[in-house]
Amino acid sequence: MISDNIIFSARLTPYRSLGQQGYKILIGSIGVMCLAIGLFFFSLGLWPIIGFMGLDFILIYWAFKSNYRAARAFEDVAISAHRVFFKKVSHKGVERVYEFPQFGTRFEIDRHKEIGITMMRLCNRKKQVEFGYFLNPQDRESFAFAFQRALASAK
């Protein structure tokens, strides 16, 4: 990413509470449940229900797959003595790289009194980039604290 002496570096990734093993168990359980319900109604003579239960299973499977696909996105932040580097990588692998000079770069936070930090951004006179939107409020708080300290020590 950079060749300067790095003072602070972090990779921000979306949190997913369900691991790969849990995902397999959940999808298997939903599949068995949809099949059992479909067969029950089929035995009562209501055969179209099997198709609807199959459609339910496919929609749930698609929703989880697209959620895990979106989790491939990440953001890298690095601070050196003279610059702040930021790289945003989408779930499709599209990279956007930003470089801010240390002088004149601000770290701004929007805060809600009940939720905490709602938005973080780096900005100067020419550009602005928001980041960390996918972090939960506790992770935003801890990252913002560490990032502010690193930015202050770099200046």
Side-chain angles (χ1 to χ4, degrees):
M1 183 174 171
I2 44 183
S3 62
D4 289 353
N5 292 334
I6 301 299
I7 297 169
F8 175 85
S9 178
R11 176 168 280 188
L12 306 176
T13 58
Y15 175 72
R16 297 298 184 256
S17 60
L18 189 62
Q20 192 65 24
Q21 184 68 24
Y23 168 72
K24 289 177 184 177
I25 291 170
L26 179 68
I27 289 296
S29 300
I30 291 171
V32 168
M33 187 175 63
C34 286
L35 182 64
I37 292 169
L39 289 176
F40 172 74
F41 281 105
F42 181 77
S43 69
L44 295 176
L46 301 170
W47 57 268
I49 300 299
I50 288 180
F52 288 114
M53 294 309 293
L55 184 61
D56 284 350
F57 176 74
I58 289 170
L59 288 174
I60 291 170
Y61 177 79
W62 173 79
F64 273 97
K65 273 300 191 191
S66 62
N67 185 9
Y68 276 99
R69 196 173 307 118
R72 288 187 279 189
F74 64 89
E75 298 170 343
D76 285 332
V77 181
I79 300 173
S80 74
H82 303 290
R83 296 187 205 116
V84 178
F85 301 93
F86 184 78
K87 180 168 77 169
K88 212 178 229 193
V89 180
S90 74
H91 68 282
K92 295 179 181 178
V94 178
E95 292 185 8
R96 292 174 59 198
V97 178
Y98 303 90
E99 184 176 326
F100 293 87
Q102 187 68 266
F103 180 74
T105 298
R106 296 180 317 275
F107 176 56
E108 295 181 348
I109 296 172
D110 290 345
R111 203 178 276 282
H112 187 274
K113 63 181 176 181
E114 294 174 2
I115 299 170
I117 295 175
T118 57
M119 188 183 321
M120 300 182 291
R121 68 184 155 273
L122 280 171
C123 53
N124 63 13
R125 285 185 287 146
K126 295 180 181 179
K127 57 189 164 189
Q128 171 177 317
V129 62
E130 296 175 0
F131 63 99
Y133 67 92
F134 47 71
L135 297 175
N136 63 45
Q138 293 82 16
D139 289 344
R140 275 191 221 125
E141 289 286 346
S142 64
F143 173 78
F145 178 74
F147 190 73
Q148 282 176 327
R149 284 186 57 186
L151 204 55
S153 69
K155 289 183 179 181

